[in-house]
Amino acid sequence: MGWGDLGAFGEPSKETPHLDQMAAEGMLFLDFYTANPLCSPSRAALLTGRLPVRNGFYTTNGHARNAYTPQDIVGGIPDSELLLPELLKKAGYTNKIIGKWHLGHQPQFHPLRHGFDEWFGSPNCHFGPYDNRERPNIPLYRDWEAFLEYYEDFKIDLKTGEANLTQLYLQEALDFISKQQASQQPFFLYWAIDATHAPVYASKQFLGTSQRGLYGDAVREIDDSVGKILKHLQQLGISENTFVFFTSDNGAALISAPKQGGSNGPFLCGKQTTFEGGMREPAIAWWPGHIPAGGVSHQLGNVMDLFSTSLSLAGLQPPSDRQIDGIDLLPVILQGKLIDRPIFYYRGNELMAVRAGLYKAHYWTWSNSWEEHSKGIDFCPGQNVAGVTTHTQEEHTYLPLLFHLGRDPGEKYPLSFASEEYQQAVEHITGLVQQHKDTLVPGQPQLNVCDQAVMNWSPPGCEKLGKCLKAPESDPKKCSWPH
């Protein structure tokens, strides 16, 4: 979902009344970022509070390549990483994930091995088609076992876009909240729906209701679901004891636009890139009775901050034996403070850009290769900025491209290298980069090796379903990451 997809952020059709109301009752973050312009690494960063280059969710197969966890990936979240639900358990929390996990699908990477008590959802993206010969179906899990599969038992109609998975995810969330309230048990719910990820889908009652087509239908259903979750918290009388945060894992996928992709508002490019459209996210904090209504913050925030903030809310300290990149946002949310901190824009193993204050310095620029672009793969459709949206990897290490995001949020007008403004800003950012690199200990890359044998041929529980398939011989290969 993109920064420009919500009415509260200026989307002109105003089709997100519940999220807009959430913003009116809480705090809107206008300068909130993901830790990576792709789904798996950003989710790993959210749950560990650490940059993907530290937690292992990156690749060294080619310079500055994005990578995620498709079915044939061998890696996943390492045991050495401490995830938010593992830590919250110490304070008596019950933890549930609903929706997309995407941090590895082999048994050792299962979310219930990493602090979650319950899971209802899928380990991977659901690209199709699956023929069960070259690629097996993607299972939908309840806790330890698969209980049905996408595109087979569970239908996503690729012609109409109809599927009721968001409704299943919504009901699962409402039931979990009710159960926890009844048992007076503190809870952490990670509600990770994926209806706006191509293939985009919505349930029948939302199909055809948006001015924005199928993608808008999916956004409207998510908006309606969030409204029902917030209302449920209020009806149960626990809204003042429940901190809720809404955001996205990366910017809108413009490669899927306009029919299956969203809006990144005024920002450049989209998912897969380290331009603002790929990494700046819609973000809303809601906590009635604590967060002053109608707040707007220009704090530079990041999904990794949800790790530190959640621990703070639970009265816990972050682990002291590792570098944590997230900060505690409670002083920002409750007292309106601003904390000075940089934002690091990584793509694979490369630091592409850094934001400090209103300045953003690009050390590398690259949208995608000419070869991929010539196949129609375009992450910046209609947005060619000469010397910025490059189709070869361009290094600017010694003379960074600098933008003032207050005056130029679309990254169209680099500041003059000769200006005093440029020299002062770059000098400041260079110091931050040096400090960052001096303390950086990269994690073991998890996204380098692929093997068809590890795909979802026989997920746990397949015997009961009569769906077990024979896996091919193991044949590990270096993963290919073109972007």
Side-chain angles (χ1 to χ4, degrees):
M1 189 180 279
W3 191 94
D5 277 333
L6 308 184
F9 286 82
E11 201 289 313
S13 64
K14 300 286 186 196
E15 292 178 344
T16 53
H18 302 97
L19 285 161
D20 299 348
Q21 180 69 19
M22 183 185 181
E25 293 172 2
M27 178 174 277
L28 204 61
F29 280 82
L30 298 179
D31 296 75
F32 196 85
Y33 290 86
T34 182
N36 189 269
L38 215 60
C39 41
S40 303
S42 71
R43 288 160 191 269
L46 185 155
L47 290 173
T48 62
R50 286 153 57 79
L51 284 163
V53 74
R54 293 194 215 272
N55 65 37
F57 261 69
Y58 72 108
T59 181
T60 51
N61 292 359
H63 176 249
R65 292 304 199 278
N66 287 321
Y68 64 106
T69 53
Q71 275 212 63
D72 57 349
I73 202 83
V74 171
I77 195 71
D79 281 341
S80 57
E81 290 299 315
L82 285 171
L83 274 61
L84 178 58
E86 292 178 73
L87 297 165
L88 289 175
K89 267 183 180 297
K90 295 176 182 174
Y93 278 73
T94 299
N95 309 302
K96 179 156 188 161
I97 170 173
I98 297 173
K100 180 170 151 183
W101 168 238
H102 224 197
L103 300 189
H105 56 272
Q106 293 193 72
Q108 66 268 36
F109 307 126
H110 193 290
L112 269 59
R113 290 195 193 276
H114 293 274
F116 285 102
D117 300 293
E118 298 180 26
W119 180 27
F120 179 77
S122 172
N124 302 85
C125 290
H126 47 276
F127 308 118
Y130 303 108
D131 58 13
N132 285 345
R133 292 183 303 278
E134 296 292 321
R135 283 198 295 173
N137 219 329
I138 302 280
L140 192 63
Y141 277 79
R142 179 172 294 286
D143 298 333
W144 287 109
E145 293 189 345
F147 81 106
L148 53 76
E149 302 185 69
Y150 284 120
Y151 287 113
E152 197 176 285
D153 309 316
F154 185 87
K155 182 73 171 163
I156 294 175
D157 191 316
L158 295 182
K159 286 186 180 157
T160 65
E162 184 182 344
N164 71 332
L165 191 54
T166 302
Q167 291 303 308
L168 292 181
Y169 285 165
L170 169 61
Q171 194 56 51
E172 196 75 18
L174 299 177
D175 291 348
F176 175 70
I177 293 167
S178 294
K179 185 176 74 174
Q180 297 312 118
Q181 191 270 343
S183 65
Q184 299 291 296
Q185 184 77 21
F187 65 90
F188 166 56
L189 172 61
Y190 175 35
W191 196 64
I193 69 280
D194 66 354
T196 50
H197 187 299
V200 170
Y201 60 86
S203 57
K204 194 166 188 178
Q205 74 232 53
F206 288 94
L207 285 180
T209 63
S210 168
Q211 293 180 35
R212 305 177 65 200
L214 177 58
Y215 182 87
D217 296 341
V219 171
R220 289 200 66 225
E221 184 166 16
I222 290 170
D223 174 75
D224 182 75
S225 300
V226 171
K228 285 181 171 141
I229 289 170
L230 299 184
K231 187 178 179 186
H232 193 55
L233 292 169
Q234 289 169 324
Q235 287 173 337
L236 291 174
I238 57 172
S239 60
E240 295 199 0
N241 296 332
T242 311
F243 177 80
V244 185
F245 202 95
F246 178 90
T247 190
S248 173
D249 60 353
N250 46 247
L254 300 186
I255 188 173
S256 310
K259 291 191 174 175
Q260 302 232 338
S263 164
N264 294 313
F267 302 121
L268 186 62
C269 300
K271 178 179 177 176
Q272 297 267 11
T273 76
T274 47
F275 301 112
E276 291 296 287
M279 291 189 61
R280 202 187 295 207
E281 308 304 331
I284 305 167
W286 184 87
W287 188 13
H290 299 270
I291 298 175
V296 175
S297 178
H298 286 285
Q299 171 66 43
L300 299 193
N302 196 291
V303 294
M304 296 179 291
D305 302 340
L306 299 176
F307 176 89
S308 302
T309 305
S310 299
L311 292 178
S312 179
L313 284 162
L316 299 169
Q317 293 295 320
S320 58
D321 63 342
R322 64 200 62 208
Q323 180 72 41
I324 300 296
D325 296 293
I327 63 170
D328 179 4
L329 290 176
L330 287 186
V332 176
I333 293 167
L334 301 180
Q335 298 153 31
K337 291 189 176 175
L338 282 177
I339 300 166
D340 187 24
R341 63 90 71 92
I343 295 293
F344 297 107
Y345 303 69
Y346 268 88
R347 185 161 167 163
N349 56 350
E350 185 60 75
L351 179 62
M352 303 288 285
V354 178
R355 177 174 175 183
L358 287 168
Y359 293 100
K360 180 178 178 184
H362 288 268
Y363 292 90
W364 287 86
T365 51
W366 189 40
S367 48
N368 64 335
S369 68
W370 281 116
E371 182 188 5
E372 292 286 298
H373 191 258
S374 66
K375 295 177 189 170
I377 297 169
D378 193 351
F379 303 136
C380 312
Q383 291 186 304
N384 179 36
V385 181
V388 179
T389 53
T390 54
H391 292 295
T392 52
Q393 292 186 14
E394 298 293 331
E395 185 174 4
H396 311 280
T397 304
Y398 300 105
L399 209 56
L401 291 182
L402 186 71
F403 296 92
H404 186 289
L405 294 178
R407 300 191 297 262
D408 176 26
E411 297 171 282
K412 293 181 176 65
Y413 308 103
L415 270 64
S416 164
F417 297 135
S419 69
E420 190 177 334
E421 182 184 13
Y422 175 92
Q423 287 165 13
Q424 286 179 352
V426 166
E427 186 179 351
H428 173 58
I429 293 175
T430 301
L432 296 172
V433 170
Q434 196 56 52
Q435 193 179 354
H436 171 68
K437 289 192 169 176
D438 284 348
T439 59
L440 181 67
V441 180
Q444 188 70 30
Q446 296 294 308
L447 308 180
N448 278 354
V449 182
C450 290
D451 185 352
Q452 283 201 306
V454 304
M455 294 202 287
N456 293 285
W457 300 103
S458 295
C462 66
E463 306 87 358
K464 295 178 188 173
L465 300 167
K467 299 280 175 131
C468 301
L469 300 167
K470 188 176 184 320
E473 288 288 312
S474 178
D475 182 21
K477 288 187 168 72
K478 204 173 169 179
C479 303
S480 171
W481 302 112
H483 308 307

